[in-house]
Amino acid sequence: MNRITRRRWLRNAFSAGATLALAPSLGAATRATPWRNWSGGHVAQPAGRFVPESEAALAEFLAQSTGQIRPVGSGHSFSPLVPTDGHLIVLDRLTGMIDHDAASNHATFHAGTRLGDMGAPLEAVGQAMINLPDIDRQTLAGATATATHGTGLAFNTLSAYVAGLRLVTVTGDVLDLDVNNRPDVFAAARVGLGALGVVTRIRMQNRPVYRLRERTWFQRTEEVLEGFDQKAAAHRHFEMFPLTHSDYAIVLEIDETDAPVANPPVSPEEDAGFDNQMREWYGLPVAERRAAINATVEQMIGPPSEVVDVSYKVLANVRNYRFNEMEYSVPIAAGADGLREVLRTIQERAIDVVFPLEYRYIKGDDLWLSMFSGGDRAAISIHQDARFDYRPYFDVIEPIFWKYGGRPHWGKVNNLGHAELTKLYPRFEEFRAIRETLDPKGRLLNDHLRRQLGVPA
Ligand SMILES: Cc1cc2nc3c(=O)[nH]c(=O)nc-3n(C[C@H](O)[C@H](O)[C@H](O)COP(=O)(O)OP(=O)(O)OC[C@H]3O[C@@H](n4cnc5c(N)ncnc54)[C@H](O)[C@@H]3O)c2cc1C
């Protein structure tokens, strides 16, 4: 641990990485290279990849082909949304900003743009995204398709900031959608799961450029939980990563600031510090972990680490240690009890895990398939090292989430099917009806989507 600076340890505390799951784009006619998602939890052998050079080429391909297809982003979903033995549609050539409008703070991007490639061009025109998730390797289309979110009671999912989008249907029709044009299809397509067509461009609601100060520190989990609601209300972003088999959490607080940028680069050794520490802890017998982890953390306790930078450089992290994740969002009032029960269960069942949890609040919205439709929610995430089978852990915890009224993140591991999901989402059947109209033959469905959307093979 001595080579690990506290700041890096905190910032990179449980990691995930920048490597893309897709092979390089091969052109319109592709050979069948296997596909795997970021965590390696899902592998597929697609018949091919179609990498259109233009929306017109995509529309032609869709109109003329007949087989199964799945749009793919950067493969960062933990649930099997993408796997297919048909064709993957890859938008690696449809990237970058198309236009922007200073008056409305709108900017339109090709849908294959990675979130991490949006910050700089937006900054150049005086705009910034309103919020970002924990990482920025996702594509804009992939992130919005699953209601990807960051942290903050004042902030919605990225899908809620979609002001308009272009959808190319399986018949090759090009639909420009917003609240005035086909509002029902727009409502469904904002969190579309890649089940309605291929999204090729997205107009985002942004805001003027801003700077953020991030503060991170260790604190007793129970103490943080007791003051969580006040802190979440008082700060732009407030969240915590409770360490498993430990009494401590990493706490993260982010606020807007005019202070000058202070974000010095860190060395690769420092970067790998927490990952190495977690590997070491995995080598300990579970019964010895609480004492060892608490002792290590207690050595690191001190004043908060601080970073100040332009928003997109503060909000997103680099995660290099591969893992699988399950996330459920529960009503805020149930959040603390739900989190306590998960942590207690991990302890009592001596579950072999080291990865921290993540606990954050997200603002409610009215999107049909957003996990946050109908009210603010607390998102509780559990993670397991990708080298190990996550099921013995996740299968024990998932019923706890159900008990507290949880809705699963579409892009993360869950075992729900249509019967359960339709009860969780008041507009679920309307989504299904629109899907049926746009793709009656189910060309866009894979086994997972058929199960979740209740469409027999
Ligand atoms: C390390 C890590 C950290 C994460 N952090 C967060 C977080 O902080 N908050 C959060 O909410 N989630 C988080 N996620 C989950 C992630 O944001 C979602 O799973 C997201 O959907 C992944 O985007 P992607 O570009 O990789 O899409 P993929 O995983 O490739 O695809 C996701 C869905 O999008 C669809 N899709 C992709 N492109 C298109 C298109 N052009 N048209 C139509 N549909 C399309 C696919 O068909 C699929 O249904 C994290 C994931 C990882 C691996």
Side-chain angles (χ1 to χ4, degrees), residues 9 24-25 64 72 105 120 138 186 233 258-259 308 313 363 396 439:
W9 209 74
S25 307
Q64 290 183 359
V72 61
N105 275 310
Q138 306 93 322
F186 179 56
D258 292 328
V308 174
K313 294 185 184 169
K363 187 180 174 189
V396 168
D439 180 23

Side-chain angles (χ1 to χ4, degrees), residues 30 40 50 74 97 207-208 251 260 272 292 344 359 377 393 397 410 423:
T30 62
F50 184 69
S74 50
M97 186 154 73
R207 54 153 290 174
V251 187
R344 198 168 56 241
Y359 184 69
R377 288 191 163 238
Y393 175 21
I397 303 300
W410 295 104
K423 288 185 203 141

Side-chain angles (χ1 to χ4, degrees), residues 15-17 22 35 37-39 70-79 81-82 89 91 111-112 114-115 132-135 137-150 167 192-200 319 321 323 325 327 358 360 371-372 409-412 449:
S15 279
L22 283 170
W35 175 89
N37 71 333
W38 175 83
S39 71
R70 284 300 295 141
V72 61
S74 50
H76 275 57
S77 292
F78 302 98
S79 59
L81 280 170
V82 169
I89 308 288
L91 297 194
R114 264 71 180 166
L115 301 179
L132 280 171
D134 183 65
I135 59 158
R137 290 294 78 208
Q138 306 93 322
T139 60
L140 184 57
T144 52
T146 64
T148 289
H149 60 86
L167 183 74
L193 310 176
L196 306 180
V198 181
V199 176
T200 55
R319 304 295 186 195
Y321 192 157
F323 58 81
E325 177 173 347
E327 175 188 305
E358 185 171 14
R360 44 188 166 167
M371 294 79 79
F372 310 96
H409 190 305
W410 295 104
K412 303 188 185 182
L449 277 172

